[in-house]
Amino acid sequence: MNIPNMLTMSRFLLIPLFLALYFYDNKIAALFIVLLAGLTDVLDGYIARRNGQITLTGMMLDPLADKLMMLAVIIALLAGGELPWEAFGVMAFREVGMIMTSAYFHFTGYKTLPANNLGKVTTVVYYLAILLLFLEAQGGMAVLWFGIGLSYVASFVYLVKFRILNRAS
């Protein structure tokens, strides 16, 4: 297992740690765990590209780790009363939908694509929204709704590119 894949795997381990810290009222420590997960996401992609260590395993596990962490965060924020049901619903629908769609495509033999640039921008916007929400700063919900909109546009772009890729092969 290479370093990028180990960094990706570490994000799976950070999810229960985040949840434990959040639900035992250590929200600032929980926020640091989320930010650490974001840092490992940036690092694993950078190292994999720089060292030519991009693997099929990494291409599958990296977005899964990201989506599961995001689900954990929005579930925690919903349970903590910091996220409205509407935002939770549209975010969860997209995250679960992308996980299920990616798994279906992978296991039925379709070629998959790495995250597109709009998806990466969406992730940055989500992390900014999470930071603002955890710190109870102004604008957190507005940034979150902007990120939600971007996430749906990014998903649409991904699906169009996926369809073109698999139609050509």
Side-chain angles (χ1 to χ4, degrees), residues 25-94:
D25 212 21
N26 293 309
K27 291 183 182 178
I28 297 300
L31 173 61
F32 280 113
I33 296 300
V34 173
L35 296 176
L36 177 61
L39 178 62
T40 66
D41 186 23
V42 170
L43 283 175
D44 71 22
Y46 173 76
I47 293 169
R49 284 186 298 278
R50 188 191 72 192
N51 296 336
Q53 295 179 322
I54 296 172
T55 64
L56 182 58
T57 300
M59 285 175 56
M60 290 302 299
L61 292 180
D62 180 69
L64 180 61
D66 297 342
K67 286 171 186 8
L68 291 175
M69 176 58 88
M70 193 56 60
L71 281 170
V73 170
I74 65 174
I75 288 168
L77 290 172
L78 177 69
E82 299 164 87
L83 189 70
W85 275 100
E86 299 83 4
F88 171 80
V90 293
M91 289 180 76
F93 176 79
R94 182 206 175 252

Side-chain angles (χ1 to χ4, degrees), residues 5-25:
N5 288 349
M6 286 191 279
L7 287 168
T8 296
M9 294 302 292
S10 74
R11 286 204 304 284
F12 288 102
L13 299 175
L14 291 175
I15 294 168
L17 179 58
F18 160 77
L19 290 169
L21 289 168
Y22 184 88
F23 287 115
Y24 283 100
D25 212 21

